[in-house]
Amino acid sequence: MQIILVVMILVLVIMSIMLYKNFQKYREMERRHTNSRQDLELAQERIYYLAHYDTLTDLPNKLRFYEELNTALAKAKMENHLVALLSLDLDNFKNVNDSLGHFYGDLLLMQVARKLRHIVNPIDTVARLGGDEFIIIQKEVFTAQEVIDLAENLMEIFRNTFLLGGSEFLITPSVGIAVFPFDGEEGAVLLKNVDTAMYSAKKLGKNNFQFFDRIMIIEILERVELENSLRKALEQEEFVIYYQPIVETNTAKIIGIEALLRWQHPQKGLLNPGYFIKAAEETGLIVPLGKWVLENACLQVKKWQLKGFNDLMLSVNLSPAQLRDDDLIKTVSRIIEKCNVIPNCLKLEVTESIAIENIEFVCSILEELEKLGVGISLDDFGTGYSSLSYLRKLPINNVKIDRSFISKLNIGYEEDEIAIAVINLAHAMDLTVTAEGVETEEQLVFLQEQGCDSVQGYYFSKPIPVGELEELLEQQKA
Ligand code: C2E
Ligand code: MG
Ligand code: MG
């Protein structure tokens, strides 16, 4: 019995020793495995780094640059902004390599890389595509100035000499610029175009920067800037309204005024609508801007009416984008109510270009406006479609003959026939007629003879600020 017990204990001891050994073996295997996993991860990281980065400058290489560019373009498409590519080539890099050797050439590239990284935003990418060729992705661009500023900062880096091997070297760059989406929507196209721009910088004597399509880019970027500054101008109330008298043809009495928008630009001075109205229309900014004009002009007219200029008609221009605005009718009736103006003192001017829209839709909107008691005038008549059937279809009360016809009037000649025909036709349709752009007495007399109801033009007055218009009204009263 004792022997059996001893044998069992022995077996147990042997088994424990074996188990312990196995456990140690297992621990050793696990340790080795962890080490090799870490090694693998490190190796993978290293491989990734070598594949995506330039070991000399630590900057992203071509492969990584493409990844960054594609991500930036996708984001820009979603968020609706621009991306600029600035490609830079050192003009006299070869001289450094030839005279000082590759060691100093490399040193120069490292210095350039460090300085480039220093001038860009943290989100931007500076990459080295090879040799002395660097490229910057400026990822979130909204204005032309941002790109020009970066290009100028870039040139600034090279104003000072580089210290290499105890000697000073003046290195200059040639920089090409391409901007998404104007110069290409795909990375490959942009890269091709930024190269072209860089070579044209070289051709133009080096040490400069060139846009791929300077005229187009500047124009478009200025446009983008214009849109942004229009938004700001609206917030900061930089707009003012000028008023131009509308005069009864036979009596020369001021019977109405047209509200004409002006932008008191902090740097550029007083700007006419020709400068900004198209951009405001295309961006939809004309909708809040138009509301602002209508409300402020109505408030002003109310003030004049309270001062005794009772039957002054106010004309306000309405753009096609405003006609498409779902809230137009509500807005107009709210403004009439708020300003407490009599609706039939208000005339809204629409241009022939609204014919592009669905005619039934336009008619229904104009009818709604008329139901509010507001008059409708067809502005710039003759410049667009000039369709007579159109005249009949639209619910309007007044036609304004465009200034181009009035300036072409050649009293006693064929040119007059058009003006005469429009006046007669409009009268036959029970519409009143206003002639725009009357500049001479001869034109006025002709229009009087033809029975044109009212006239507007420099002959009487240019569009003028509130105070000056009030003086004219006072003079008339006296
Ligand atoms: P419009 O409504 O046809 O206004 C008449 C334009 O002719 C005004 O130009 C006026 O200054 C100009 N004008 C008047 N008489 C004469 C003249 O005898 N000779 C010459 N050479 N020009 C004359 P302005 O103020 O530059 O406005 C241009 C256009 O901008 C307006 O043409 C109108 O379509 C648009 N606009 C102006 N203000 C507004 C606004 O508040 N909203 C909208 N949607 N458009 C506006
Ligand atoms: Mg007008
Ligand atoms: Mg007009």
Side-chain angles (χ1 to χ4, degrees):
M1 186 65 192
Q2 267 181 341
I3 294 173
I4 294 173
L5 208 70
V6 169
V7 169
M8 276 178 74
I9 289 169
L10 221 67
V11 168
L12 264 175
V13 169
I14 291 167
M15 274 176 73
S16 301
I17 291 169
M18 279 171 67
L19 260 174
Y20 178 72
K21 282 211 163 160
N22 274 344
F23 177 68
Q24 273 199 327
K25 239 193 230 166
Y26 172 76
R27 286 277 300 272
E28 176 59 21
M29 269 168 64
E30 199 183 51
R31 197 178 56 77
R32 277 199 208 142
H33 180 68
T34 309
N35 281 351
S36 66
R37 207 177 56 218
Q38 277 169 354
D39 287 349
L40 193 67
E41 275 171 10
L42 277 176
Q44 272 173 346
E45 267 175 35
R46 181 79 190 142
I47 291 167
Y48 182 87
Y49 176 83
L50 290 173
H52 292 82
Y53 286 83
D54 165 44
T55 45
L56 177 69
T57 58
D58 237 5
L59 293 178
N61 66 9
K62 205 169 202 161
L63 190 63
R64 175 89 189 146
F65 158 78
Y66 267 120
E67 288 175 4
E68 293 275 341
L69 180 62
N70 287 335
T71 314
L73 295 182
K75 193 161 178 279
K77 274 178 202 161
M78 265 171 29
E79 294 174 5
N80 223 358
H81 55 72
L82 315 171
V83 175
L85 276 190
L86 291 87
S87 157
L88 175 151
D89 192 277
L90 302 180
D91 293 330
N92 17 23
F93 181 64
K94 200 172 168 293
N95 293 351
V96 177
N97 261 347
D98 289 349
S99 57
L100 293 179
H102 286 271
F103 174 77
Y104 285 103
D106 286 355
L107 213 59
L108 172 66
L109 294 174
M110 283 155 76
Q111 285 186 35
V112 170
R114 190 168 41 76
K115 290 187 180 195
L116 287 178
R117 251 198 307 231
H118 194 68
I119 59 160
V120 299
N121 282 329
I123 59 158
D124 295 341
T125 296
V126 180
R128 180 176 171 224
L129 298 191
D132 57 342
E133 213 186 315
F134 294 88
I135 194 156
I136 297 175
I137 314 174
Q138 197 181 14
K139 290 182 180 166
E140 286 181 16
V141 179
F142 293 90
T143 67
Q145 204 52 49
E146 288 171 59
V147 185
I148 294 169
D149 284 349
L150 179 57
E152 275 168 357
N153 289 342
L154 205 158
M155 302 305 293
E156 194 60 42
I157 292 180
F158 298 89
R159 297 260 187 274
N160 296 327
T161 50
F162 286 79
L163 192 64
L164 298 167
S167 312
E168 291 192 349
F169 275 79
L170 187 66
I171 309 291
T172 59
S174 289
V175 179
I177 305 173
V179 181
F180 162 87
F182 317 128
D183 296 332
E185 301 203 4
E186 302 301 325
V189 181
L190 282 166
L191 204 62
K192 182 174 118 299
N193 291 344
V194 80
D195 253 6
T196 310
M198 195 268 289
Y199 283 111
S200 75
K202 283 229 184 277
K203 261 198 228 148
L204 283 165
K206 304 176 177 175
N207 197 20
N208 70 93
F209 63 86
Q210 290 300 318
F211 281 91
F212 173 65
D213 185 345
R214 185 173 178 84
I215 309 259
M216 185 180 87
I217 289 294
I218 294 292
E219 255 175 32
I220 295 172
L221 290 181
E222 273 175 358
R223 180 59 181 276
V224 174
E225 266 176 73
L226 173 64
E227 289 170 12
N228 289 333
S229 49
L230 266 177
R231 260 176 250 280
K232 256 194 241 144
L234 193 60
E235 283 164 21
Q236 290 167 7
E237 305 211 347
E238 288 169 7
F239 291 102
V240 280
I241 304 173
Y242 272 38
Y243 296 91
Q244 186 177 34
I246 298 171
V247 167
E248 195 171 46
T249 317
N250 288 330
T251 60
K253 182 179 172 239
I254 300 175
I255 51 169
I257 46 172
E258 179 171 4
L260 292 160
L261 192 56
R262 298 289 181 267
W263 179 4
Q264 189 63 61
H265 193 285
Q267 282 90 38
K268 295 181 178 142
L270 193 70
L271 300 175
N272 282 339
Y275 180 82
F276 59 85
I277 215 92
K278 200 160 167 258
E281 268 173 26
E282 286 171 9
T283 51
L285 263 182
I286 193 71
V287 175
L289 193 53
K291 270 184 211 166
W292 182 88
V293 174
L294 187 63
E295 181 160 345
N296 285 277
C298 281
L299 283 172
Q300 185 53 53
V301 160
K302 184 69 195 172
K303 281 186 199 160
W304 280 326
Q305 287 176 345
L306 289 173
K307 283 186 178 176
F309 309 116
N310 299 324
D311 30 80
L312 199 59
M313 285 286 296
L314 167 68
S315 296
V316 177
N317 293 287
L318 209 62
S319 84
Q322 286 174 277
L323 273 188
R324 269 181 257 121
D325 175 28
D326 291 339
D327 287 334
L328 177 71
I329 308 297
K330 258 193 261 161
T331 305
V332 175
S333 85
R334 184 186 58 76
I335 291 176
I336 290 173
E337 213 170 292
K338 183 178 169 195
C339 304
N340 195 18
V341 286
I342 307 158
N344 56 20
C345 281
L346 180 60
K347 213 184 265 178
L348 296 175
E349 297 192 356
V350 294
T351 61
E352 284 182 292
S353 61
I354 53 165
I356 305 168
E357 320 272 328
N358 176 333
I359 186 89
E360 272 75 34
F361 167 75
V362 172
C363 285
S364 71
I365 299 288
L366 297 183
E367 273 158 15
E368 290 279 318
L369 286 170
E370 283 197 324
K371 275 188 209 151
L372 297 177
V374 172
I376 308 290
S377 192
L378 191 61
D379 203 355
D380 304 343
F381 186 73
T383 53
Y385 300 83
S386 313
S387 154
L388 299 177
S389 66
Y390 193 66
L391 258 191
R392 200 170 303 132
K393 269 189 189 160
L394 286 173
I396 53 173
N397 331 93
N398 179 255
V399 176
K400 294 185 89 170
I401 309 178
D402 188 66
R403 144 162 83 88
S404 55
F405 289 97
I406 306 303
S407 66
K408 267 190 243 150
L409 282 182
N410 191 1
I411 315 297
Y413 286 86
E414 245 173 46
E415 285 86 347
D416 311 344
E417 297 299 325
I418 300 172
I420 297 172
V422 173
I423 295 169
N424 290 337
L425 186 83
H427 282 164
M429 290 179 185
D430 254 353
L431 307 171
T432 53
V433 184
T434 308
E436 293 185 305
V438 176
E439 293 184 350
T440 67
E441 190 175 356
E442 216 182 9
Q443 291 165 349
L444 174 67
V445 171
F446 174 83
L447 292 162
Q448 278 171 341
E449 281 168 359
Q450 299 310 320
C452 180
D453 305 274
S454 52
V455 289
Q456 179 182 352
Y458 293 176
Y459 180 69
F460 293 100
S461 166
K462 288 192 168 182
I464 46 180
V466 175
E468 285 179 42
L469 193 100
E470 198 162 319
E471 279 172 28
L472 281 186
L473 293 174
E474 293 286 0
Q475 279 169 20
Q476 181 168 288
K477 208 173 170 191

